[in-house]
Amino acid sequence: MDLKLIKKKIYTIVKIISTVLITSAIGLESWNIYALITDTNVPSSLNPIFWIERFAMTSHFIEGIIAAFYAPSRKKMPIKYATYTFFVGTIGLLELFDQQDNY
């Protein structure tokens, strides 16, 4: 198989998984905020998951900021590409800085 084809398939799989997980993390954090507002108890066994999702969302947020900063130099819309990179993660940055391929 061609390496570009393998790279594209792996990127596609990672982008789908990342989008699902970040969306789930947003939902999980929304549930946590709702529980705090309504004085509902969240199981303490979920605390490690909350820390992991917060770390992931912070990392993706920073990647989105980087993408927004560099998107104009690659003739991309900053807000649109920042949102895309927030959901797909590092793959979005790799695609942004990849000069040869346009996905």
Side-chain angles (χ1 to χ4, degrees):
M1 277 183 114
D2 187 35
L3 284 177
K4 284 187 178 186
L5 182 62
I6 293 171
K7 180 178 157 182
K8 189 171 182 178
K9 284 185 178 187
I10 290 174
Y11 276 17
T12 302
I13 291 168
V14 171
K15 286 192 282 189
I16 291 169
I17 292 170
S18 180
T19 302
V20 169
L21 290 177
I22 286 296
T23 304
S24 300
I26 292 170
L28 190 61
E29 194 61 37
S30 299
W31 174 48
N32 191 30
I33 292 169
Y34 176 77
L36 287 173
I37 291 171
T38 60
D39 277 338
T40 307
N41 290 334
V42 176
S44 62
S45 61
L46 292 178
N47 282 341
I49 295 173
F50 283 122
W51 283 105
I52 291 169
E53 64 92 359
R54 288 176 186 145
F55 176 76
M57 286 184 48
T58 303
S59 300
H60 281 235
F61 183 72
I62 291 169
E63 290 170 342
I65 291 171
I66 293 168
F69 184 75
Y70 284 105
S73 68
R74 303 289 195 249
K75 295 182 176 69
K76 307 270 185 187
M77 292 180 60
I79 298 296
K80 184 177 177 181
Y81 211 81
T83 304
Y84 171 73
T85 303
F86 173 76
F87 281 100
V88 300
T90 306
I91 300 286
L93 287 177
L94 291 174
E95 291 175 352
L96 181 64
F97 292 118
D98 190 10
Q99 298 271 342
Q100 298 165 344
D101 297 328
N102 291 329
Y103 291 102

